[in-house]
mmCIF file with all atom_site columns, all heavy atoms in Angstrom:
data_model
loop_
_atom_site.group_PDB
_atom_site.id
_atom_site.type_symbol
_atom_site.label_atom_id
_atom_site.label_alt_id
_atom_site.label_comp_id
_atom_site.label_asym_id
_atom_site.label_entity_id
_atom_site.label_seq_id
_atom_site.pdbx_PDB_ins_code
_atom_site.Cartn_x
_atom_site.Cartn_y
_atom_site.Cartn_z
_atom_site.occupancy
_atom_site.B_iso_or_equiv
_atom_site.pdbx_formal_charge
_atom_site.auth_seq_id
_atom_site.auth_comp_id
_atom_site.auth_asym_id
_atom_site.auth_atom_id
_atom_site.pdbx_PDB_model_num
ATOM 1   N N   . ALA A 1 1  ? 42.016 -95.875  -49.336 1.00 87.00 ? 1  ALA A N   1
ATOM 2   C CA  . ALA A 1 1  ? 42.008 -97.176  -50.002 1.00 87.00 ? 1  ALA A CA  1
ATOM 3   C C   . ALA A 1 1  ? 43.327 -97.912  -49.792 1.00 87.00 ? 1  ALA A C   1
ATOM 4   O O   . ALA A 1 1  ? 43.358 -99.114  -49.524 1.00 87.00 ? 1  ALA A O   1
ATOM 5   C CB  . ALA A 1 1  ? 41.732 -96.995  -51.494 1.00 87.00 ? 1  ALA A CB  1
ATOM 6   N N   . GLU A 1 2  ? 44.421 -97.185  -49.901 1.00 81.00 ? 2  GLU A N   1
ATOM 7   C CA  . GLU A 1 2  ? 45.728 -97.798  -49.700 1.00 81.00 ? 2  GLU A CA  1
ATOM 8   C C   . GLU A 1 2  ? 45.951 -98.149  -48.234 1.00 81.00 ? 2  GLU A C   1
ATOM 9   O O   . GLU A 1 2  ? 46.518 -99.194  -47.902 1.00 81.00 ? 2  GLU A O   1
ATOM 10  C CB  . GLU A 1 2  ? 46.822 -96.861  -50.191 1.00 81.00 ? 2  GLU A CB  1
ATOM 11  C CG  . GLU A 1 2  ? 46.806 -96.660  -51.703 1.00 81.00 ? 2  GLU A CG  1
ATOM 12  C CD  . GLU A 1 2  ? 47.868 -95.664  -52.156 1.00 81.00 ? 2  GLU A CD  1
ATOM 13  O OE1 . GLU A 1 2  ? 48.258 -94.803  -51.336 1.00 81.00 ? 2  GLU A OE1 1
ATOM 14  O OE2 . GLU A 1 2  ? 48.297 -95.747  -53.316 1.00 81.00 ? 2  GLU A OE2 1
ATOM 15  N N   . GLY A 1 3  ? 45.500 -97.290  -47.336 1.00 74.00 ? 3  GLY A N   1
ATOM 16  C CA  . GLY A 1 3  ? 45.740 -97.493  -45.912 1.00 74.00 ? 3  GLY A CA  1
ATOM 17  C C   . GLY A 1 3  ? 44.916 -98.601  -45.310 1.00 74.00 ? 3  GLY A C   1
ATOM 18  O O   . GLY A 1 3  ? 45.304 -99.202  -44.309 1.00 74.00 ? 3  GLY A O   1
ATOM 19  N N   . GLU A 1 4  ? 43.725 -98.894  -45.889 1.00 68.00 ? 4  GLU A N   1
ATOM 20  C CA  . GLU A 1 4  ? 42.869 -99.937  -45.342 1.00 68.00 ? 4  GLU A CA  1
ATOM 21  C C   . GLU A 1 4  ? 43.252 -101.329 -45.826 1.00 68.00 ? 4  GLU A C   1
ATOM 22  O O   . GLU A 1 4  ? 42.584 -102.313 -45.536 1.00 68.00 ? 4  GLU A O   1
ATOM 23  C CB  . GLU A 1 4  ? 41.402 -99.659  -45.697 1.00 68.00 ? 4  GLU A CB  1
ATOM 24  C CG  . GLU A 1 4  ? 40.836 -98.466  -44.945 1.00 68.00 ? 4  GLU A CG  1
ATOM 25  C CD  . GLU A 1 4  ? 39.353 -98.276  -45.203 1.00 68.00 ? 4  GLU A CD  1
ATOM 26  O OE1 . GLU A 1 4  ? 38.827 -98.933  -46.130 1.00 68.00 ? 4  GLU A OE1 1
ATOM 27  O OE2 . GLU A 1 4  ? 38.728 -97.489  -44.482 1.00 68.00 ? 4  GLU A OE2 1
ATOM 28  N N   . GLY A 1 5  ? 44.327 -101.416 -46.583 1.00 55.00 ? 5  GLY A N   1
ATOM 29  C CA  . GLY A 1 5  ? 44.837 -102.722 -46.974 1.00 55.00 ? 5  GLY A CA  1
ATOM 30  C C   . GLY A 1 5  ? 44.213 -103.318 -48.217 1.00 55.00 ? 5  GLY A C   1
ATOM 31  O O   . GLY A 1 5  ? 44.388 -104.504 -48.501 1.00 55.00 ? 5  GLY A O   1
ATOM 32  N N   . SER A 1 6  ? 43.460 -102.508 -48.997 1.00 62.00 ? 6  SER A N   1
ATOM 33  C CA  . SER A 1 6  ? 42.882 -103.042 -50.223 1.00 62.00 ? 6  SER A CA  1
ATOM 34  C C   . SER A 1 6  ? 43.961 -103.310 -51.269 1.00 62.00 ? 6  SER A C   1
ATOM 35  O O   . SER A 1 6  ? 43.763 -104.119 -52.174 1.00 62.00 ? 6  SER A O   1
ATOM 36  C CB  . SER A 1 6  ? 41.835 -102.068 -50.781 1.00 62.00 ? 6  SER A CB  1
ATOM 37  O OG  . SER A 1 6  ? 42.434 -100.822 -51.107 1.00 62.00 ? 6  SER A OG  1
ATOM 38  N N   . GLY A 1 7  ? 45.082 -102.590 -51.169 1.00 67.00 ? 7  GLY A N   1
ATOM 39  C CA  . GLY A 1 7  ? 46.206 -102.870 -52.047 1.00 67.00 ? 7  GLY A CA  1
ATOM 40  C C   . GLY A 1 7  ? 46.278 -101.999 -53.287 1.00 67.00 ? 7  GLY A C   1
ATOM 41  O O   . GLY A 1 7  ? 47.297 -101.985 -53.967 1.00 67.00 ? 7  GLY A O   1
ATOM 42  N N   . TYR A 1 8  ? 45.207 -101.273 -53.606 1.00 83.00 ? 8  TYR A N   1
ATOM 43  C CA  . TYR A 1 8  ? 45.274 -100.414 -54.793 1.00 83.00 ? 8  TYR A CA  1
ATOM 44  C C   . TYR A 1 8  ? 44.424 -99.160  -54.556 1.00 83.00 ? 8  TYR A C   1
ATOM 45  O O   . TYR A 1 8  ? 43.366 -99.207  -53.928 1.00 83.00 ? 8  TYR A O   1
ATOM 46  C CB  . TYR A 1 8  ? 44.802 -101.160 -56.046 1.00 83.00 ? 8  TYR A CB  1
ATOM 47  C CG  . TYR A 1 8  ? 43.483 -101.866 -55.905 1.00 83.00 ? 8  TYR A CG  1
ATOM 48  C CD1 . TYR A 1 8  ? 42.302 -101.277 -56.346 1.00 83.00 ? 8  TYR A CD1 1
ATOM 49  C CD2 . TYR A 1 8  ? 43.408 -103.150 -55.354 1.00 83.00 ? 8  TYR A CD2 1
ATOM 50  C CE1 . TYR A 1 8  ? 41.104 -101.926 -56.242 1.00 83.00 ? 8  TYR A CE1 1
ATOM 51  C CE2 . TYR A 1 8  ? 42.196 -103.811 -55.241 1.00 83.00 ? 8  TYR A CE2 1
ATOM 52  C CZ  . TYR A 1 8  ? 41.057 -103.195 -55.686 1.00 83.00 ? 8  TYR A CZ  1
ATOM 53  O OH  . TYR A 1 8  ? 39.849 -103.851 -55.569 1.00 83.00 ? 8  TYR A OH  1
ATOM 54  N N   . PRO A 1 9  ? 44.886 -98.016  -55.091 1.00 87.00 ? 9  PRO A N   1
ATOM 55  C CA  . PRO A 1 9  ? 44.235 -96.734  -54.797 1.00 87.00 ? 9  PRO A CA  1
ATOM 56  C C   . PRO A 1 9  ? 42.872 -96.541  -55.450 1.00 87.00 ? 9  PRO A C   1
ATOM 57  O O   . PRO A 1 9  ? 42.134 -95.636  -55.063 1.00 87.00 ? 9  PRO A O   1
ATOM 58  C CB  . PRO A 1 9  ? 45.245 -95.708  -55.331 1.00 87.00 ? 9  PRO A CB  1
ATOM 59  C CG  . PRO A 1 9  ? 46.009 -96.435  -56.376 1.00 87.00 ? 9  PRO A CG  1
ATOM 60  C CD  . PRO A 1 9  ? 46.096 -97.852  -55.908 1.00 87.00 ? 9  PRO A CD  1
ATOM 61  N N   . THR A 1 10 ? 42.544 -97.358  -56.458 1.00 90.00 ? 10 THR A N   1
ATOM 62  C CA  . THR A 1 10 ? 41.268 -97.175  -57.162 1.00 90.00 ? 10 THR A CA  1
ATOM 63  C C   . THR A 1 10 ? 40.139 -98.022  -56.577 1.00 90.00 ? 10 THR A C   1
ATOM 64  O O   . THR A 1 10 ? 39.090 -98.169  -57.204 1.00 90.00 ? 10 THR A O   1
ATOM 65  C CB  . THR A 1 10 ? 41.443 -97.534  -58.651 1.00 90.00 ? 10 THR A CB  1
ATOM 66  O OG1 . THR A 1 10 ? 41.926 -98.890  -58.750 1.00 90.00 ? 10 THR A OG1 1
ATOM 67  C CG2 . THR A 1 10 ? 42.432 -96.586  -59.324 1.00 90.00 ? 10 THR A CG2 1
ATOM 68  N N   . TYR A 1 11 ? 40.354 -98.559  -55.388 1.00 91.00 ? 11 TYR A N   1
ATOM 69  C CA  . TYR A 1 11 ? 39.358 -99.452  -54.782 1.00 91.00 ? 11 TYR A CA  1
ATOM 70  C C   . TYR A 1 11 ? 37.990 -98.771  -54.696 1.00 91.00 ? 11 TYR A C   1
ATOM 71  O O   . TYR A 1 11 ? 36.975 -99.310  -55.166 1.00 91.00 ? 11 TYR A O   1
ATOM 72  C CB  . TYR A 1 11 ? 39.828 -99.880  -53.389 1.00 91.00 ? 11 TYR A CB  1
ATOM 73  C CG  . TYR A 1 11 ? 38.821 -100.686 -52.618 1.00 91.00 ? 11 TYR A CG  1
ATOM 74  C CD1 . TYR A 1 11 ? 38.628 -102.033 -52.898 1.00 91.00 ? 11 TYR A CD1 1
ATOM 75  C CD2 . TYR A 1 11 ? 38.045 -100.112 -51.606 1.00 91.00 ? 11 TYR A CD2 1
ATOM 76  C CE1 . TYR A 1 11 ? 37.694 -102.796 -52.191 1.00 91.00 ? 11 TYR A CE1 1
ATOM 77  C CE2 . TYR A 1 11 ? 37.119 -100.858 -50.897 1.00 91.00 ? 11 TYR A CE2 1
ATOM 78  C CZ  . TYR A 1 11 ? 36.953 -102.199 -51.201 1.00 91.00 ? 11 TYR A CZ  1
ATOM 79  O OH  . TYR A 1 11 ? 36.021 -102.930 -50.498 1.00 91.00 ? 11 TYR A OH  1
ATOM 80  N N   . PHE A 1 12 ? 37.926 -97.578  -54.095 1.00 94.00 ? 12 PHE A N   1
ATOM 81  C CA  . PHE A 1 12 ? 36.650 -96.883  -53.926 1.00 94.00 ? 12 PHE A CA  1
ATOM 82  C C   . PHE A 1 12 ? 36.152 -96.303  -55.250 1.00 94.00 ? 12 PHE A C   1
ATOM 83  O O   . PHE A 1 12 ? 34.943 -96.203  -55.467 1.00 94.00 ? 12 PHE A O   1
ATOM 84  C CB  . PHE A 1 12 ? 36.778 -95.777  -52.883 1.00 94.00 ? 12 PHE A CB  1
ATOM 85  C CG  . PHE A 1 12 ? 36.911 -96.294  -51.482 1.00 94.00 ? 12 PHE A CG  1
ATOM 86  C CD1 . PHE A 1 12 ? 38.141 -96.303  -50.843 1.00 94.00 ? 12 PHE A CD1 1
ATOM 87  C CD2 . PHE A 1 12 ? 35.820 -96.809  -50.797 1.00 94.00 ? 12 PHE A CD2 1
ATOM 88  C CE1 . PHE A 1 12 ? 38.279 -96.785  -49.552 1.00 94.00 ? 12 PHE A CE1 1
ATOM 89  C CE2 . PHE A 1 12 ? 35.943 -97.295  -49.500 1.00 94.00 ? 12 PHE A CE2 1
ATOM 90  C CZ  . PHE A 1 12 ? 37.173 -97.291  -48.889 1.00 94.00 ? 12 PHE A CZ  1
ATOM 91  N N   . LEU A 1 13 ? 37.075 -95.914  -56.135 1.00 94.00 ? 13 LEU A N   1
ATOM 92  C CA  . LEU A 1 13 ? 36.675 -95.386  -57.437 1.00 94.00 ? 13 LEU A CA  1
ATOM 93  C C   . LEU A 1 13 ? 35.908 -96.439  -58.228 1.00 94.00 ? 13 LEU A C   1
ATOM 94  O O   . LEU A 1 13 ? 34.846 -96.143  -58.801 1.00 94.00 ? 13 LEU A O   1
ATOM 95  C CB  . LEU A 1 13 ? 37.913 -94.938  -58.226 1.00 94.00 ? 13 LEU A CB  1
ATOM 96  C CG  . LEU A 1 13 ? 37.666 -94.563  -59.686 1.00 94.00 ? 13 LEU A CG  1
ATOM 97  C CD1 . LEU A 1 13 ? 36.773 -93.337  -59.785 1.00 94.00 ? 13 LEU A CD1 1
ATOM 98  C CD2 . LEU A 1 13 ? 38.990 -94.325  -60.418 1.00 94.00 ? 13 LEU A CD2 1
ATOM 99  N N   . ILE A 1 14 ? 36.432 -97.659  -58.290 1.00 94.00 ? 14 ILE A N   1
ATOM 100 C CA  . ILE A 1 14 ? 35.773 -98.727  -59.045 1.00 94.00 ? 14 ILE A CA  1
ATOM 101 C C   . ILE A 1 14 ? 34.398 -99.034  -58.460 1.00 94.00 ? 14 ILE A C   1
ATOM 102 O O   . ILE A 1 14 ? 33.410 -99.180  -59.198 1.00 94.00 ? 14 ILE A O   1
ATOM 103 C CB  . ILE A 1 14 ? 36.660 -99.988  -59.050 1.00 94.00 ? 14 ILE A CB  1
ATOM 104 C CG1 . ILE A 1 14 ? 37.952 -99.724  -59.838 1.00 94.00 ? 14 ILE A CG1 1
ATOM 105 C CG2 . ILE A 1 14 ? 35.909 -101.174 -59.644 1.00 94.00 ? 14 ILE A CG2 1
ATOM 106 C CD1 . ILE A 1 14 ? 38.960 -100.831 -59.747 1.00 94.00 ? 14 ILE A CD1 1
ATOM 107 N N   . ARG A 1 15 ? 34.318 -99.118  -57.148 1.00 95.00 ? 15 ARG A N   1
ATOM 108 C CA  . ARG A 1 15 ? 33.030 -99.404  -56.506 1.00 95.00 ? 15 ARG A CA  1
ATOM 109 C C   . ARG A 1 15 ? 32.036 -98.265  -56.734 1.00 95.00 ? 15 ARG A C   1
ATOM 110 O O   . ARG A 1 15 ? 30.852 -98.504  -57.016 1.00 95.00 ? 15 ARG A O   1
ATOM 111 C CB  . ARG A 1 15 ? 33.229 -99.639  -55.009 1.00 95.00 ? 15 ARG A CB  1
ATOM 112 C CG  . ARG A 1 15 ? 33.999 -100.921 -54.689 1.00 95.00 ? 15 ARG A CG  1
ATOM 113 C CD  . ARG A 1 15 ? 34.245 -101.061 -53.198 1.00 95.00 ? 15 ARG A CD  1
ATOM 114 N NE  . ARG A 1 15 ? 33.017 -101.299 -52.463 1.00 95.00 ? 15 ARG A NE  1
ATOM 115 C CZ  . ARG A 1 15 ? 32.467 -102.490 -52.262 1.00 95.00 ? 15 ARG A CZ  1
ATOM 116 N NH1 . ARG A 1 15 ? 33.040 -103.570 -52.766 1.00 95.00 ? 15 ARG A NH1 1
ATOM 117 N NH2 . ARG A 1 15 ? 31.357 -102.619 -51.564 1.00 95.00 ? 15 ARG A NH2 1
ATOM 118 N N   . HIS A 1 16 ? 32.509 -97.039  -56.625 1.00 97.00 ? 16 HIS A N   1
ATOM 119 C CA  . HIS A 1 16 ? 31.614 -95.897  -56.822 1.00 97.00 ? 16 HIS A CA  1
ATOM 120 C C   . HIS A 1 16 ? 31.135 -95.834  -58.270 1.00 97.00 ? 16 HIS A C   1
ATOM 121 O O   . HIS A 1 16 ? 29.956 -95.533  -58.520 1.00 97.00 ? 16 HIS A O   1
ATOM 122 C CB  . HIS A 1 16 ? 32.331 -94.599  -56.445 1.00 97.00 ? 16 HIS A CB  1
ATOM 123 C CG  . HIS A 1 16 ? 31.420 -93.413  -56.367 1.00 97.00 ? 16 HIS A CG  1
ATOM 124 N ND1 . HIS A 1 16 ? 30.456 -93.269  -55.394 1.00 97.00 ? 16 HIS A ND1 1
ATOM 125 C CD2 . HIS A 1 16 ? 31.318 -92.308  -57.157 1.00 97.00 ? 16 HIS A CD2 1
ATOM 126 C CE1 . HIS A 1 16 ? 29.801 -92.137  -55.572 1.00 97.00 ? 16 HIS A CE1 1
ATOM 127 N NE2 . HIS A 1 16 ? 30.305 -91.530  -56.637 1.00 97.00 ? 16 HIS A NE2 1
ATOM 128 N N   . ALA A 1 17 ? 32.030 -96.109  -59.220 1.00 97.00 ? 17 ALA A N   1
ATOM 129 C CA  . ALA A 1 17 ? 31.639 -96.126  -60.630 1.00 97.00 ? 17 ALA A CA  1
ATOM 130 C C   . ALA A 1 17 ? 30.576 -97.196  -60.882 1.00 97.00 ? 17 ALA A C   1
ATOM 131 O O   . ALA A 1 17 ? 29.630 -96.982  -61.655 1.00 97.00 ? 17 ALA A O   1
ATOM 132 C CB  . ALA A 1 17 ? 32.864 -96.372  -61.511 1.00 97.00 ? 17 ALA A CB  1
ATOM 133 N N   . ALA A 1 18 ? 30.724 -98.335  -60.213 1.00 97.00 ? 18 ALA A N   1
ATOM 134 C CA  . ALA A 1 18 ? 29.725 -99.403  -60.345 1.00 97.00 ? 18 ALA A CA  1
ATOM 135 C C   . ALA A 1 18 ? 28.382 -98.961  -59.765 1.00 97.00 ? 18 ALA A C   1
ATOM 136 O O   . ALA A 1 18 ? 27.316 -99.247  -60.337 1.00 97.00 ? 18 ALA A O   1
ATOM 137 C CB  . ALA A 1 18 ? 30.218 -100.671 -59.637 1.00 97.00 ? 18 ALA A CB  1
ATOM 138 N N   . TYR A 1 19 ? 28.412 -98.234  -58.647 1.00 97.00 ? 19 TYR A N   1
ATOM 139 C CA  . TYR A 1 19 ? 27.179 -97.723  -58.052 1.00 97.00 ? 19 TYR A CA  1
ATOM 140 C C   . TYR A 1 19 ? 26.495 -96.727  -58.987 1.00 97.00 ? 19 TYR A C   1
ATOM 141 O O   . TYR A 1 19 ? 25.263 -96.743  -59.136 1.00 97.00 ? 19 TYR A O   1
ATOM 142 C CB  . TYR A 1 19 ? 27.469 -97.040  -56.712 1.00 97.00 ? 19 TYR A CB  1
ATOM 143 C CG  . TYR A 1 19 ? 28.003 -97.953  -55.636 1.00 97.00 ? 19 TYR A CG  1
ATOM 144 C CD1 . TYR A 1 19 ? 28.867 -97.472  -54.653 1.00 97.00 ? 19 TYR A CD1 1
ATOM 145 C CD2 . TYR A 1 19 ? 27.654 -99.298  -55.595 1.00 97.00 ? 19 TYR A CD2 1
ATOM 146 C CE1 . TYR A 1 19 ? 29.365 -98.304  -53.649 1.00 97.00 ? 19 TYR A CE1 1
ATOM 147 C CE2 . TYR A 1 19 ? 28.140 -100.141 -54.607 1.00 97.00 ? 19 TYR A CE2 1
ATOM 148 C CZ  . TYR A 1 19 ? 29.007 -99.640  -53.635 1.00 97.00 ? 19 TYR A CZ  1
ATOM 149 O OH  . TYR A 1 19 ? 29.490 -100.459 -52.659 1.00 97.00 ? 19 TYR A OH  1
ATOM 150 N N   . VAL A 1 20 ? 27.285 -95.846  -59.597 1.00 98.00 ? 20 VAL A N   1
ATOM 151 C CA  . VAL A 1 20 ? 26.724 -94.859  -60.522 1.00 98.00 ? 20 VAL A CA  1
ATOM 152 C C   . VAL A 1 20 ? 26.094 -95.562  -61.721 1.00 98.00 ? 20 VAL A C   1
ATOM 153 O O   . VAL A 1 20 ? 24.986 -95.208  -62.155 1.00 98.00 ? 20 VAL A O   1
ATOM 154 C CB  . VAL A 1 20 ? 27.809 -93.864  -60.985 1.00 98.00 ? 20 VAL A CB  1
ATOM 155 C CG1 . VAL A 1 20 ? 27.286 -92.982  -62.117 1.00 98.00 ? 20 VAL A CG1 1
ATOM 156 C CG2 . VAL A 1 20 ? 28.271 -93.003  -59.823 1.00 98.00 ? 20 VAL A CG2 1
ATOM 157 N N   . ALA A 1 21 ? 26.786 -96.574  -62.260 1.00 98.00 ? 21 ALA A N   1
ATOM 158 C CA  . ALA A 1 21 ? 26.246 -97.327  -63.392 1.00 98.00 ? 21 ALA A CA  1
ATOM 159 C C   . ALA A 1 21 ? 24.941 -98.018  -63.008 1.00 98.00 ? 21 ALA A C   1
ATOM 160 O O   . ALA A 1 21 ? 23.959 -98.018  -63.769 1.00 98.00 ? 21 ALA A O   1
ATOM 161 C CB  . ALA A 1 21 ? 27.275 -98.350  -63.874 1.00 98.00 ? 21 ALA A CB  1
ATOM 162 N N   . ALA A 1 22 ? 24.921 -98.615  -61.807 1.00 97.00 ? 22 ALA A N   1
ATOM 163 C CA  . ALA A 1 22 ? 23.699 -99.272  -61.331 1.00 97.00 ? 22 ALA A CA  1
ATOM 164 C C   . ALA A 1 22 ? 22.574 -98.255  -61.146 1.00 97.00 ? 22 ALA A C   1
ATOM 165 O O   . ALA A 1 22 ? 21.409 -98.520  -61.488 1.00 97.00 ? 22 ALA A O   1
ATOM 166 C CB  . ALA A 1 22 ? 23.977 -99.996  -60.011 1.00 97.00 ? 22 ALA A CB  1
ATOM 167 N N   . GLY A 1 23 ? 22.918 -97.076  -60.612 1.00 97.00 ? 23 GLY A N   1
ATOM 168 C CA  . GLY A 1 23 ? 21.921 -96.035  -60.416 1.00 97.00 ? 23 GLY A CA  1
ATOM 169 C C   . GLY A 1 23 ? 21.317 -95.560  -61.728 1.00 97.00 ? 23 GLY A C   1
ATOM 170 O O   . GLY A 1 23 ? 20.107 -95.362  -61.840 1.00 97.00 ? 23 GLY A O   1
ATOM 171 N N   . LEU A 1 24 ? 22.155 -95.392  -62.756 1.00 97.00 ? 24 LEU A N   1
ATOM 172 C CA  . LEU A 1 24 ? 21.663 -94.957  -64.067 1.00 97.00 ? 24 LEU A CA  1
ATOM 173 C C   . LEU A 1 24 ? 20.787 -96.030  -64.708 1.00 97.00 ? 24 LEU A C   1
ATOM 174 O O   . LEU A 1 24 ? 19.768 -95.717  -65.333 1.00 97.00 ? 24 LEU A O   1
ATOM 175 C CB  . LEU A 1 24 ? 22.848 -94.626  -64.980 1.00 97.00 ? 24 LEU A CB  1
ATOM 176 C CG  . LEU A 1 24 ? 23.669 -93.403  -64.565 1.00 97.00 ? 24 LEU A CG  1
ATOM 177 C CD1 . LEU A 1 24 ? 24.874 -93.238  -65.482 1.00 97.00 ? 24 LEU A CD1 1
ATOM 178 C CD2 . LEU A 1 24 ? 22.818 -92.135  -64.579 1.00 97.00 ? 24 LEU A CD2 1
ATOM 179 N N   . LEU A 1 25 ? 21.165 -97.287  -64.535 1.00 98.00 ? 25 LEU A N   1
ATOM 180 C CA  . LEU A 1 25 ? 20.358 -98.384  -65.071 1.00 98.00 ? 25 LEU A CA  1
ATOM 181 C C   . LEU A 1 25 ? 18.990 -98.434  -64.394 1.00 98.00 ? 25 LEU A C   1
ATOM 182 O O   . LEU A 1 25 ? 17.949 -98.566  -65.066 1.00 98.00 ? 25 LEU A O   1
ATOM 183 C CB  . LEU A 1 25 ? 21.093 -99.708  -64.875 1.00 98.00 ? 25 LEU A CB  1
ATOM 184 C CG  . LEU A 1 25 ? 20.360 -100.974 -65.365 1.00 98.00 ? 25 LEU A CG  1
ATOM 185 C CD1 . LEU A 1 25 ? 20.107 -100.896 -66.866 1.00 98.00 ? 25 LEU A CD1 1
ATOM 186 C CD2 . LEU A 1 25 ? 21.167 -102.230 -65.029 1.00 98.00 ? 25 LEU A CD2 1
ATOM 187 N N   . VAL A 1 26 ? 18.986 -98.315  -63.073 1.00 98.00 ? 26 VAL A N   1
ATOM 188 C CA  . VAL A 1 26 ? 17.725 -98.299  -62.327 1.00 98.00 ? 26 VAL A CA  1
ATOM 189 C C   . VAL A 1 26 ? 16.874 -97.101  -62.758 1.00 98.00 ? 26 VAL A C   1
ATOM 190 O O   . VAL A 1 26 ? 15.644 -97.206  -62.904 1.00 98.00 ? 26 VAL A O   1
ATOM 191 C CB  . VAL A 1 26 ? 17.996 -98.257  -60.814 1.00 98.00 ? 26 VAL A CB  1
ATOM 192 C CG1 . VAL A 1 26 ? 16.719 -97.952  -60.038 1.00 98.00 ? 26 VAL A CG1 1
ATOM 193 C CG2 . VAL A 1 26 ? 18.586 -99.574  -60.341 1.00 98.00 ? 26 VAL A CG2 1
ATOM 194 N N   . ALA A 1 27 ? 17.517 -95.965  -62.996 1.00 97.00 ? 27 ALA A N   1
ATOM 195 C CA  . ALA A 1 27 ? 16.798 -94.758  -63.405 1.00 97.00 ? 27 ALA A CA  1
ATOM 196 C C   . ALA A 1 27 ? 16.125 -94.950  -64.764 1.00 97.00 ? 27 ALA A C   1
ATOM 197 O O   . ALA A 1 27 ? 14.977 -94.538  -64.962 1.00 97.00 ? 27 ALA A O   1
ATOM 198 C CB  . ALA A 1 27 ? 17.753 -93.575  -63.451 1.00 97.00 ? 27 ALA A CB  1
#
């Protein structure tokens, strides 16, 4: 996340958490 220029280390964590939340809602 830091190396790809997003600027913060939680870039993928936030997106993944959003995916999990969406998955639980769909479920």
Side-chain angles (χ1 to χ4, degrees):
E2 293 177 334
E4 290 185 348
S6 62
Y8 50 97
T10 57
Y11 174 78
F12 288 103
L13 171 65
I14 294 172
R15 292 176 68 86
H16 191 68
Y19 296 150
V20 171
L24 293 176
L25 179 61
V26 168

